[in-house]
Amino acid sequence: MSRRRLGLTRALCTSVLFALVGCNGDSPGETEATVTASGTTTTTTTTTTTTSSTTSEGTDSGTASESSGSTSAASDTTAGMTDPTAPLPECGDGEVEGLEECDDGNEVDDDGCTNACTSPRCGDAIAQAEAGEGCDDGNEIDDDGCTNACALPACGDSIIQAGEGEECDNGASNADDAVCTATCKNAVCGDGLVGPGEGCDDGNDDDADECTNACTLASCGDGIKQAGEECDDGNEVNDDACTSACTSPKCGDAIVQAGEECDDGNAENTDACLDTCESASCGDGVVWGGMEDCDDANDVNTDACLNTCDAASCGDGFVWAGTEECDDGNMVNNDTCNNMCKVPVLAASCSMMTDMSVWGMTSRGVDLRAWTSSTLHYIGCPGDGCANTSFYCTYNEQAQTIEFGSNSGGAVRSVVDPNNANGDTMPNSYGGCCNGPLGLCNAPDMANNGVNIGVSNAKALCSALGYADGVFLASPNNNGCPEPHATDATGKAWSSDWVFSQGFGQIWKCTGFK
């Protein structure tokens, strides 16, 4: 019997198991045991072929009658059922019979009708391509390589197929998202998708771009030197090798680094911190605003700026070269240095007029040595030229004037020692007429012998006596003898050309205390 017929036969036998006799292998004509009403068992032989049965008369009649009754009963029992003698439906004969769902007359199992003459269905363990099945493993396990819908596993079928390398599956709407990628892989840092807890994900291994390899946005302090950063040490310490702003330490960044005294973040040099990050101090050559008057970066105290960075001034105790004559550090005006830091020249009064010996003669006049220490030692009347009694002096302190000279017509004499060759000595005897130092000379007159010192002989003489100005009240021209002349405006330096000339000074007037 063919495989397909055998299959159908088994199916049919199962259907009529309790209705037909013989399906268990019994052959026609076998005996059956029956139970009578009296409780005894009687064995009856049933003949299924009625055409060959003969009824005997006599002793066999009762038996025949019982047999007939049994046959009749059997006929009633099987009425309306398939004739067991009829040929069974054969699966594969091309005719749909009995319980067959289909019969395509071939032994191809996956062509739309199985070899058991059943219609294809998902779960029958037969992959029916024509029915659109990609697979059929006959079980109800969904993630074993063949789904319960008889489809091959695919990313996007909502079934996580671990055996196919899937980690997740979002179903038909599968697409890259923060949890599962379009390739059914769990979203991770580096996959190019920004997932939960990720600030970014650029999908590359470049740690120094805008997105780190930890999927965090690049930022100062993440320990990774990014574009635009000079450094990044990953901490917030400002005074180490990298500031919290990710810049290399430098003077002017407003952070005091090792080796810096200060850092105020500006380029201003006149405040408490220089642009070299050194604290401002006297002597650095920069004037600290509000704190220093000056700063010339030296230790010299006789220039315009003291080494305390105070501007030089009268009364500071230091003589400002070229500006001050003296500086005694006090505000006492009548000591050796006045409050203008000048050596005081006391204005001469008539007390300067004295009697003394000049050239061995009793003379009256003015001893200039005590006032000027100049080379002009004396002006007066020694009895030669003018009588000593003719010399006079008038002083007015209120008017700040002094007038002195001879009130006679005689020539007033002077003693001069150019270059102080003889010191402050006075001649004891007459040594000739106008022919050398300490010799007989006329007193200085108006001409100053042509020497230009910017002032007249009278003004120079009055300056030496402590007055601001001076003039000649009389200057006769009747005695031929050399006259001394001033060589500087202070009246301290005098000389003579020793050339005979007419004239001499007679009366001088000085005005205004210096």
Side-chain angles (χ1 to χ4, degrees), residues 85-288:
T85 64
L88 295 172
E90 183 176 358
C91 177
D93 60 7
E95 296 181 5
V96 178
E97 301 172 306
L99 298 178
E100 294 179 338
E101 295 177 358
C102 61
D103 194 323
D104 57 3
N106 63 41
E107 295 187 1
V108 179
D109 215 20
D110 60 354
D111 61 351
C113 186
T114 71
N115 290 342
C117 289
T118 59
S119 299
R121 62 180 57 85
C122 180
D124 60 8
I126 303 170
Q128 300 287 349
E130 292 184 3
E133 294 180 344
C135 60
D136 194 326
D137 55 7
N139 64 41
E140 295 183 0
I141 300 172
D142 219 17
D143 59 354
D144 61 351
C146 185
T147 71
N148 291 343
C150 292
L152 291 172
C155 179
D157 59 11
S158 299
I159 303 168
I160 300 174
Q161 301 284 351
E164 300 296 322
E166 293 183 347
E167 297 174 343
C168 56
D169 197 315
N170 281 340
S173 61
N174 199 52
D176 289 333
D177 61 22
V179 178
C180 188
T181 69
T183 58
C184 291
K185 299 291 183 182
N186 289 330
V188 295
C189 177
D191 59 14
L193 302 172
V194 179
E198 294 181 341
C200 58
D201 195 323
D202 55 9
N204 64 42
D205 293 329
D206 186 357
D207 211 23
D209 58 9
E210 294 180 352
C211 186
T212 71
N213 291 345
C215 290
T216 57
L217 291 171
S219 63
C220 176
D222 59 14
I224 304 167
K225 183 178 179 297
Q226 312 285 349
E229 295 179 340
E230 296 178 1
C231 57
D232 195 322
D233 56 7
N235 65 46
E236 295 184 0
V237 178
N238 251 336
D239 58 357
D240 58 5
C242 186
T243 71
S244 60
C246 291
T247 57
S248 298
K250 61 179 70 67
C251 178
D253 59 11
I255 302 168
V256 180
Q257 309 286 350
E260 295 180 340
E261 295 178 2
C262 58
D263 196 321
D264 57 6
N266 65 48
E268 179 60 53
N269 255 340
T270 60
D271 56 10
C273 188
L274 305 183
D275 60 7
T276 58
C277 290
E278 297 172 293
S279 297
S281 61
C282 179
D284 58 20
V286 182
V287 177
W288 183 358

Side-chain angles (χ1 to χ4, degrees), residues 394-416:
T394 302
Y395 173 70
N396 188 329
E397 183 176 4
Q398 296 301 319
Q400 299 185 6
T401 62
I402 188 172
E403 177 182 319
F404 59 93
S406 175
N407 54 18
S408 69
V412 179
R413 304 297 189 186
S414 66
V415 176
V416 64

